[in-house]
Amino acid sequence: MPGLVVFGRRWAIGSDDFVLPGAFELFVRLLWWIGILALYAVHKGRFNCPGGGLLHSYLLVLLILLAAIICALSALVYVSMQGTISNPGPRKSLPKLLYTRLLLYFPEFIWAVVGAVWVSDSSVHCEKTVINVIMGTVIASWVIIIFTIIGVVIVFDPLGGKKTFYLTNSVSRNLESSQSGQLLYNVKNTATRVWEKRIRLLCCCIVQDDDHRVAFTSIAELFRAYFSDTDLVPSDIAAGLTLLHQEQDKMESCPKEPEEVLCHSPSSLVTDDLDIELENAAHYMLFAAAAYGWPYYVYTNPFTALCKLNGDCCRNRPTDSDITGSDRHNFHFGSILRITGLQYRDFIHISFHNKIYEIPFFVALDHKKEAIVVAVRGTLSFEDILTDLSADCEDLTLEDVLENGFGITQAANYIYQKLINDGILNQAFTIAPEYKLVIVGHSLGGGTASILAIMLRNSFPTLRCYAFSPPGGLLSKSLADYTKHFIVSVIVGKDLVARLSMPNMEDLKRRIVRIVANCNRPKYQILLRGCWYEVFGGDPDDFPTELDGRNQDALTQPLLAEESLMVHRSPSYNTLDDESHLNSPPQYPRLYLPGKIIHIVEESSSRRWCSSDIKYTARWSNETVFSSILISPKMITDHMPDVVLKALNSLSQEHRSSPGGKGCRG
């Protein structure tokens, strides 16, 4: 629902968000009140001690104050439980109750100060039990006050004043006027600055230069544009994701359309090469995982990694002329050696240098496959995250792919310049002229490897690229089709990153708005039911909507609810004229995964007390399958490099154990 408006500004909290925190505070207050009442009843006649009159007055007033707070909280929770996310009408009295509750903080604060003074007074000589209990009530009062202040800071929206101002003055919607244009410009600038400050705060631990400042502005513009046309609070998004997950689980049990049953190969290729590509992918995924260095090795070997790496750190190695960047104690290089199984002499170049748009990579000789492997590291640092998010849309074509760009393209261009201008590839092919060139990477490294492969394709026509879990919004349709001849993308399950693009994010936003606006259950019920479903499972919700039980005259109400959540009717945000914004043309171009796509899905899982046996199936897929973000607890874990490697190894071992295996499974 639209953010709650109190004190003349919008806050990042809804009027239906007070149920759970209010109920928790109400429970604590009730226990507190009952305990004080019991103490007062037991010690009612024992306040004749020096200073006892002060303590008697303190307890009596505290009982009255707690009773008033309990009544206010009860009313606040009850009203907050009414209505639905898109129907705040039954909660219209909540701001008044909230003002009442906030006013009660002043006497509580004053009384907490008074209690602290009286209890610490050395002239008070009453029973130790009474003194300790009153000290506990004073501490509890301060704790609640402090947590309330923290909560206010969290739900404070720096743009709340401007949003509320324009939302309530929506009559002036003529963007052609100079005044409205100036208002639009000012609000956009303010929103961009707010997002930029947040990003700078999150990245305060890294040295910031000109590249970082450009990236901060680019990312801030992206976030401002994405969040500017919705009036959803964080709990609305959580409720929407919960409902979408259950809806998807319910739809998965329904019969699929023929085009969704993907057991075919891309055009011009046959399915017989699937097993070969899976075996190659399992082999080269080791290089992509090794590029992460010691963090990956320690993560996958938590009990033995440090001991093994400590043993490697004292070994002599060749001169560091072929290694750039810092690798203290030889941990990164030692991890790469252990993961790949290569020798020191097999490495042509290793770069641990890491800045925004400049990511680590290494070049090695793979004698088993007779290949020169360029392995690009995925996201591991704040600089990598900034490179990920600096995603200005570029409809890259074959002719201009060498032009400087932002984000992944610029990172690929950095490695390209190193490989060609510094003679790294020339050195590698001088040593092994008959070897083929293979470029690999995972996540950010997979996207960078794909762009790099396009750049090197003309010079090395036989090169191959294996992109593991690359970002979804990467290439235009024509360029994606071109890469099917030399790039293979490997995606596991419901990997979020492989489906991550601005069109898909816009689609997810609209799906959240639609399902949230149409659901006729209160938010607290959605969240509680969703938590139970995520933890304990069960049947998905039956998704009751506002359409249930309504006549034809009321069928437009859900659409109006969607519009109220999706659009700020103001010059500062996208406006809605005669046509619904929900049906407007997409703002961002559709971008696709690179190359041929192997989709690995979990077929079955038999879990025991100490182990789990997961079986996977693999099939050729196409880019349309990844045109929507799927909500699942595994949407993050399916992206992890160890999960990808485990799935590929499982499929590769299965193929080796069954010589007559089919080219397509599932």
Side-chain angles (χ1 to χ4, degrees):
M1 65 156 293
L4 182 66
V5 178
V6 291
F7 300 113
R9 66 176 299 117
R10 178 192 181 276
W11 298 76
I13 190 171
S15 58
D16 52 357
D17 284 334
F18 294 92
V19 178
L20 300 180
F24 177 76
E25 184 183 356
L26 183 61
F27 175 74
V28 173
R29 296 281 187 179
L30 278 172
L31 290 181
W32 188 356
W33 187 80
I34 292 172
I36 296 297
L37 182 63
L39 179 71
Y40 180 79
V42 171
H43 294 82
K44 186 175 181 180
R46 304 179 186 177
F47 291 105
N48 297 325
C49 53
L54 296 178
L55 298 182
H56 178 270
S57 302
Y58 176 80
L59 289 177
L60 189 60
V61 173
L62 183 60
L63 283 172
I64 298 173
L65 185 58
L66 283 176
I69 292 174
I70 289 171
C71 292
L73 279 174
S74 300
L76 190 69
V77 171
Y78 175 78
V79 173
S80 186
M81 293 171 65
Q82 307 306 307
T84 63
I85 296 177
S86 59
N87 180 24
R91 302 189 295 273
K92 62 183 179 181
S93 61
L94 190 132
K96 297 178 181 178
L97 294 173
L98 191 60
Y99 290 141
T100 303
R101 173 66 189 94
L102 292 175
L103 284 175
L104 289 174
Y105 275 110
F106 291 102
E108 183 178 17
F109 173 76
I110 294 172
W111 211 239
V113 173
V114 171
V117 172
W118 285 351
V119 170
S120 60
D121 190 350
S122 58
S123 62
V124 177
H125 300 284
C126 291
E127 291 186 18
K128 194 73 172 178
T129 303
V130 178
I131 299 294
N132 291 338
V133 170
I134 293 179
M135 180 63 74
T137 62
V138 171
I139 295 174
S141 297
W142 281 107
V143 168
I144 290 178
I145 291 172
I146 291 172
F147 273 97
T148 301
I149 294 173
I150 294 174
V152 170
V153 172
I154 291 174
V155 301
F156 177 78
D157 185 355
L159 298 173
K162 291 184 178 293
K163 288 183 180 180
T164 303
F165 174 79
Y166 288 120
L167 194 62
T168 55
N169 295 275
S170 57
V171 291
S172 176
R173 299 172 60 189
N174 181 15
L175 295 181
E176 296 179 359
S177 69
S178 59
Q179 183 178 5
S180 297
Q182 186 62 38
L183 289 175
L184 175 62
Y185 176 80
N186 290 340
V187 171
K188 284 185 175 181
N189 267 0
T190 303
T192 302
R193 286 197 302 271
V194 167
W195 280 109
E196 194 168 345
K197 288 178 181 178
R198 291 169 175 170
I199 297 168
R200 288 182 182 277
L201 183 62
L202 288 174
C203 301
C204 60
C205 60
I206 62 176
V207 178
Q208 299 178 9
D209 54 19
D210 291 338
D211 284 339
H212 288 89
R213 284 189 285 272
V214 171
F216 291 159
T217 302
S218 173
I219 297 168
E221 287 282 354
L222 191 68
F223 283 3
R224 190 267 306 163
Y226 183 74
F227 290 104
S228 64
D229 62 346
T230 58
D231 201 2
L232 296 172
V233 298
S235 59
D236 295 338
I237 298 174
L241 293 175
T242 296
L243 292 174
L244 283 177
H245 180 210
Q246 296 180 61
E247 182 187 50
Q248 288 170 184
D249 286 353
K250 192 173 182 180
M251 294 297 294
E252 282 181 358
S253 61
C254 299
K256 294 181 175 154
E257 297 294 330
E259 60 269 18
E260 295 181 18
V261 182
L262 296 167
C263 191
H264 63 275
S265 67
S267 59
S268 77
L269 289 170
V270 294
T271 59
D272 294 339
D273 63 353
L274 177 58
D275 288 323
I276 297 174
E277 294 293 9
L278 283 172
E279 184 179 354
N280 289 335
H283 175 76
Y284 289 119
M285 181 60 203
L286 277 175
F287 290 82
Y292 284 100
W294 69 262
Y296 175 82
Y297 187 64
V298 172
Y299 174 72
T300 54
N301 302 274
F303 301 109
T304 60
L306 292 179
C307 294
K308 292 179 179 179
L309 292 178
N310 279 327
D312 290 338
C313 71
C314 299
R315 293 183 182 178
N316 294 325
R317 69 182 185 197
T319 60
D320 291 343
S321 59
D322 58 343
I323 298 178
T324 61
S326 174
D327 182 22
R328 292 183 179 179
H329 308 298
N330 197 25
F331 276 2
H332 276 308
F333 197 15
S335 299
I336 293 174
L337 289 171
R338 287 191 170 274
I339 295 172
T340 60
L342 300 181
Q343 303 297 319
Y344 285 110
R345 62 179 178 272
D346 295 328
F347 288 87
I348 306 299
H349 179 83
I350 301 178
S351 172
F352 300 114
H353 171 74
N354 192 198
K355 286 180 59 180
I356 184 170
Y357 310 139
E358 299 175 6
I359 57 182
F361 69 98
F362 68 80
V363 181
L365 299 178
D366 176 21
H367 302 296
K368 180 178 180 181
K369 294 288 186 178
E370 295 187 343
I372 296 171
V373 180
V374 179
V376 186
R377 197 187 76 180
T379 303
L380 192 62
S381 65
F382 276 111
E383 288 86 354
D384 298 334
I385 294 173
L386 293 176
T387 303
D388 276 320
L389 294 176
S390 299
D392 286 10
C393 290
E394 296 179 272
D395 192 6
L396 297 177
T397 62
L398 193 58
E399 290 74 21
D400 64 8
V401 75
L402 289 175
E403 294 294 326
N404 288 331
F406 285 95
I408 292 177
T409 306
Q410 194 162 334
N413 192 62
Y414 160 76
I415 299 177
Y416 175 86
Q417 299 296 331
K418 288 286 184 181
L419 294 177
I420 301 301
N421 295 348
D422 293 359
I424 297 173
L425 286 184
N426 184 56
Q427 178 186 353
F429 279 103
T430 300
I431 298 173
E434 72 282 6
Y435 280 18
K436 60 188 175 183
L437 179 61
V438 178
I439 307 174
V440 302
H442 172 266
S443 188
L444 168 64
T448 305
S450 300
I451 302 296
L452 180 61
I454 297 172
M455 294 177 173
L456 293 170
R457 169 72 168 170
N458 288 336
S459 301
F460 304 91
T462 61
L463 73 77
R464 300 285 292 172
C465 174
Y466 290 88
F468 303 97
S469 309
L474 197 64
L475 304 177
S476 64
K477 183 65 168 70
S478 59
L479 195 53
D481 290 339
Y482 167 74
T483 60
K484 292 182 186 296
H485 300 287
F486 57 94
I487 296 179
V488 174
S489 291
V490 179
I491 311 299
V492 175
K494 298 179 179 179
D495 184 355
L496 169 65
V497 175
R499 296 169 169 82
L500 206 56
S501 65
M502 286 309 297
N504 287 1
M505 290 294 292
E506 286 290 330
D507 171 70
L508 176 64
K509 178 170 62 177
R510 298 182 186 191
R511 285 190 290 143
I512 288 175
V513 168
R514 188 171 296 276
I515 199 167
V516 162
N518 291 344
C519 185
N520 67 6
R521 287 190 176 176
K523 188 192 300 181
Y524 76 94
Q525 290 185 13
I526 297 173
L527 294 176
L528 289 176
R529 174 71 172 82
C531 289
W532 180 272
Y533 180 77
E534 298 296 341
V535 175
F536 300 104
D539 295 328
D541 203 347
D542 55 359
F543 310 111
T545 70
E546 294 286 359
L547 298 178
D548 296 340
R550 298 174 68 90
N551 56 35
Q552 291 294 322
D553 296 335
L555 290 181
T556 58
Q557 184 59 38
L559 179 60
L560 294 176
E562 293 166 24
E563 293 175 1
S564 69
L565 293 176
M566 193 71 186
V567 180
H568 287 282
R569 298 175 176 271
S570 66
S572 58
Y573 296 93
N574 296 330
T575 58
L576 185 71
D577 296 322
D578 297 329
E579 189 175 354
S580 171
H581 176 73
L582 294 172
N583 300 319
S584 60
Q587 181 181 355
Y588 303 96
R590 178 68 66 178
L591 300 176
Y592 301 91
L593 287 165
K596 300 182 299 179
I597 303 171
I598 296 177
H599 191 196
I600 301 174
V601 296
E602 183 179 319
E603 184 182 49
S604 62
S605 175
S606 58
R607 300 186 180 276
R608 298 184 176 92
W609 288 106
C610 300
S611 64
S612 62
D613 183 18
I614 302 176
K615 292 188 178 298
Y616 297 93
T617 59
R619 55 187 179 237
W620 288 116
S621 186
N622 62 54
E623 59 272 8
T624 59
V625 175
F626 305 94
S627 60
S628 180
I629 293 175
L630 302 180
I631 309 303
S632 168
K634 294 186 176 183
M635 61 194 296
I636 302 297
T637 57
D638 282 344
H639 180 72
M640 301 300 289
D642 61 310
V643 174
V644 178
L645 183 58
K646 177 183 177 182
L648 286 169
N649 284 336
S650 175
L651 290 167
S652 181
Q653 292 171 6
E654 179 186 339
H655 170 60
R656 287 195 294 267
S657 63
S658 56
K662 296 180 180 179
C664 182
R665 304 183 189 87

